[in-house]
Amino acid sequence: MQGSERTRIGPVLMVAAAACGLGACNTSAPVLTTGSISGHAAPLAVSDAERDCLGRAMYFESNRSDAGGLIAVGTVVMNRLENAIFPGGICAVVGQPGQFAAGVLTKPMQEKDLQKVADATDAVLAGERHPQVGKAMYFHTAGRHYPYGNMHYVAVAGGNAFYEKRNTRTAKPDIKPDTVASVSIPTFAAAPIPAAP
């Protein structure tokens, strides 16, 4: 009987050991971003704390007027999560000093917005991406202008202008954020995401 128990436990331990080794995936060289996949990425199961951090970034960094703005900010967070130059984990990405709104992880959210934010957060974790944000990892308030030549604007959504940083020696002349088309994301029904074990 003991031999058969070992036979059943062995594969389970091997799977658990392999899963533990995957935690360091974000420390390797930069990889393709989820935003580079046209409109969708693989679903991601995260802890309740990580889900909350993502929702808070989306809430405080967009004007919350539509799902498109929320999804656009969520796309940037996920793009950063997959790039080794940013710290690992959603909360670490969102909490990085000087990157997101002050108090993003601690300020209270308005009750009336919680369901909309939860739906958009679940959609991003299920793989939804803003179709124009692409692989962009940066944004600022729409309507502001900066003198840097390496900002390639790709979208305006939720009160923000989203851009990629490009090498100024090889980049083509850029357009102003005012001329980037704003896009609206259709209403969606988010599938529930299982919590991480």
Side-chain angles (χ1 to χ4, degrees), residues 128-140:
E128 185 78 27
R129 297 296 181 266
H130 191 283
Q132 290 182 323
V133 170
K135 60 185 177 178
M137 290 188 283
Y138 306 96
F139 61 92
H140 61 73

Side-chain angles (χ1 to χ4, degrees), residues 52-120:
D52 184 60
C53 289
L54 176 60
R56 290 176 152 282
M58 294 164 62
Y59 178 83
F60 288 110
E61 290 291 355
S62 73
N63 65 12
R64 301 178 291 282
S65 62
D66 64 11
L70 294 166
I71 298 291
V73 172
T75 300
V76 167
V77 172
M78 300 313 284
N79 288 345
R80 287 182 174 205
L81 181 65
E82 292 189 357
N83 193 302
I85 64 172
F86 294 95
I90 294 171
C91 292
V93 167
V94 173
Q96 189 177 20
Q99 295 298 306
F100 290 91
V104 70
L105 296 176
T106 57
K107 291 192 292 190
M109 296 190 288
Q110 292 184 9
E111 184 76 32
K112 67 180 179 72
D113 294 325
L114 294 180
Q115 187 60 53
K116 183 190 307 186
V117 172
D119 290 345

